[in-house]
Structure formats: structure tokens, C-alpha cells
């Protein structure tokens, strides 16, 4: 079975990421591989781990974690075969909290697959471009297909003039098929990379 984590990358109060991740989880539940029990999806919220700015003395590549929050984060990420990163775009890039969370670890990310669901005024596409570069360095294979949710067409707001209104996620009809295609790719790549994640038998 392929285990996928839907990683919520924003920790901002009032964020839209939680609602987006729940839509991803619900839609993923209709994916054939998930319905057949060949894959599972779970939400992993960076905000739940209380990660400070990177505070490990040793570089992550050595895997010598000294802090309990790092060990908990490492154990969680290590348990998954692939990821769907849910990210907004902050100043043409990813949220600092997500970049920081990635930087905490190294080996736990390696030889796994990832897809992206971004959102923002311009769909969050520039954040994903930066995220692809970061993940390449920790040896995560990212798939080409991505979901980009536009604030003005894929969300509905009670009061569009209120910046504190998170809105409801109301994706256009093309978005779920795109998500399904992305999940096809992530599941396939996670499976193809499995021999690299598992040590060879002696």
C-alpha cells in the first residue's frame, strides 16, 4: 500500500490551507487506487508540530536529531511514501514555515514522490516553482501535473472585501480530474522508487 501525506504548508491564523487540504482529502477518496485500498491519504499539518526556526546543531544530512520536535517530525515524514503539498504563495515563494519544515530533515524525504496543490491570486504557481527546487535537493521526485486554485474562481467568499474571510473552496469542474491525474503520477512514481527506499536484502 502506498501512503500519501497531504502536507498543509501554511501556519498563518485564518489560512485557507486547511480547507484546501480537506478538499484534496475528500476528492482523493474518490480516486480508484484509494477506493481499492491500494493507497491511503492523510492530512499532515506543519502547524501541529510546533517547529521553531531550524534549531538542530548538526546538518540534517547526518540524521542526528537532538530535539523532540525534530524526532516527531522525522518519524511522521518517514512513514509516508509520497506527498501532496498544499501551499499558498507568499511574496512569489513558499511560506517560510514550509521551507523550514523541509530543511529540518533529509533522509526522511529521499526517494519519495510529490505533487502540488497551490492556491492564491495567481494560483500559487510561483511558490510551486520554488518548492520544486527545494525538494530536488532532498531527492524528492516531483510530478509535472499540478492543481492551481485561483482565489477569484475556485473560492467563494461571504464578504470579498474582508481579508479575514477564508472563504469556501469551490473548485471549478476541471480541478478534480487534474488532481486525480496528479495522484496517478504520484502513486506510480512512489511505487517505482520503492526499491530505493528499502535496503537490499543481505
Amino acid at each position: 500500500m502506498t501512503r500519501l501525506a497531504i502536507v498543509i504548508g501554511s501556519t498563518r491564523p485564518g489560512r485557507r490551507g486547511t480547507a484546501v487540504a480537506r478538499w484534496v482529502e475528500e476528492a482523493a477518496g474518490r480516486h480508484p487506487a484509494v477506493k481499492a485500498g491500494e493507497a491511503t491519504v492523510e492530512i499532515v499539518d506543519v502547524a501541529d508540530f510546533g517547529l521553531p526556526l531550524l534549531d538542530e546543531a548538526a546538518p540534517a544530512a547526518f540524521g542526528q536529531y537532538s530535539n523532540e520536535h525534530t524526532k516527531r517530525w522525522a518519524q511522521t515524514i518517514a512513514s509516508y511514501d509520497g506527498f501532496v503539498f498544499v501551499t499558498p504563495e507568499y511574496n512569489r515563494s513558499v511560506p517560510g514555515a514550509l521551507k523550514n519544515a523541509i530543511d529540518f530533515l533529509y533522509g526522511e524525504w529521499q526517494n519519495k514522490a510529490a505533487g502540488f496543490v497551490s492556491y492564491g491570486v495567481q494560483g500559487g504557481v510561483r511558490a510551486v516553482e520554488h518548492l520544486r527546487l527545494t525538494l530536488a535537493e532532498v531527492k524528492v521526485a516531483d510530478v509535472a501535473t499540478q492543481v492551481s486554485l485561483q482565489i477569484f474562481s475556485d473560492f467563494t467568499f461571504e464578504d470579498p472585501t474582508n481579508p479575514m474571510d477564508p472563504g469556501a473552496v469551490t473548485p471549478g469542474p476541471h480541478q478534480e480530474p487534474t488532481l486525480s491525474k496528479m495522484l496517478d503520477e504520484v502513486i506510480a512514481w512512489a511505487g517505482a522508487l520503492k526499491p530505493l527506499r528499502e535496503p537490499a536484502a543481505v
Side-chain angles (χ1 to χ4, degrees):
M1 180 183 295
T2 300
R3 300 187 71 234
L4 302 181
I6 302 167
V7 180
I8 304 176
S10 172
T11 59
R12 181 182 66 82
R15 63 191 176 170
R16 298 182 174 96
T18 302
V20 174
R22 286 175 180 159
W23 169 73
V24 172
E25 182 181 41
E26 178 186 0
R30 293 186 284 272
H31 187 276
V34 176
K35 291 174 67 175
E38 299 167 0
T40 61
V41 291
E42 299 174 9
I43 292 176
V44 172
D45 191 346
V46 170
D48 289 341
F49 290 83
L51 298 173
L53 286 175
L54 184 56
D55 62 347
E56 289 287 341
F62 289 92
Q64 298 174 0
Y65 307 132
S66 59
N67 297 312
E68 288 305 314
H69 52 258
T70 311
K71 294 175 183 178
R72 180 171 167 247
W73 177 236
Q75 183 178 24
T76 298
I77 294 304
S79 70
Y80 292 100
D81 303 299
F83 310 96
V84 176
F85 288 92
V86 173
T87 182
E89 181 177 312
Y90 291 169
N91 298 321
R92 294 178 176 256
S93 191
V94 297
L98 178 54
K99 176 64 166 63
N100 185 58
I102 294 170
D103 291 345
F104 260 95
L105 309 177
Y106 187 69
E108 293 77 8
W109 296 115
Q110 289 187 17
N111 301 316
K112 298 179 180 181
F116 308 97
V117 177
S118 59
Y119 58 95
V121 173
Q122 296 177 327
V125 293
R126 296 175 295 191
V128 171
E129 290 304 306
H130 284 190
L131 191 50
R132 289 182 188 276
L133 292 172
T134 298
L135 292 173
E137 190 64 23
V138 293
K139 300 183 181 180
V140 173
D142 57 286
V143 304
T145 303
Q146 71 184 67
V147 177
S148 300
L149 301 177
Q150 307 286 331
I151 290 297
F152 298 114
S153 59
D154 294 309
F155 291 79
T156 302
F157 299 93
E158 290 185 14
D159 181 5
T161 65
N162 178 8
M164 303 302 290
D165 181 0
V169 182
T170 52
H174 64 290
Q175 298 288 17
E176 185 167 334
T178 303
L179 175 66
S180 183
K181 181 181 178 184
M182 183 191 73
L183 290 172
D184 287 342
E185 296 172 3
V186 173
I187 292 168
W189 284 32
L193 291 167
K194 186 175 181 179
L196 299 180
R197 295 194 299 275
E198 298 179 348
V202 177

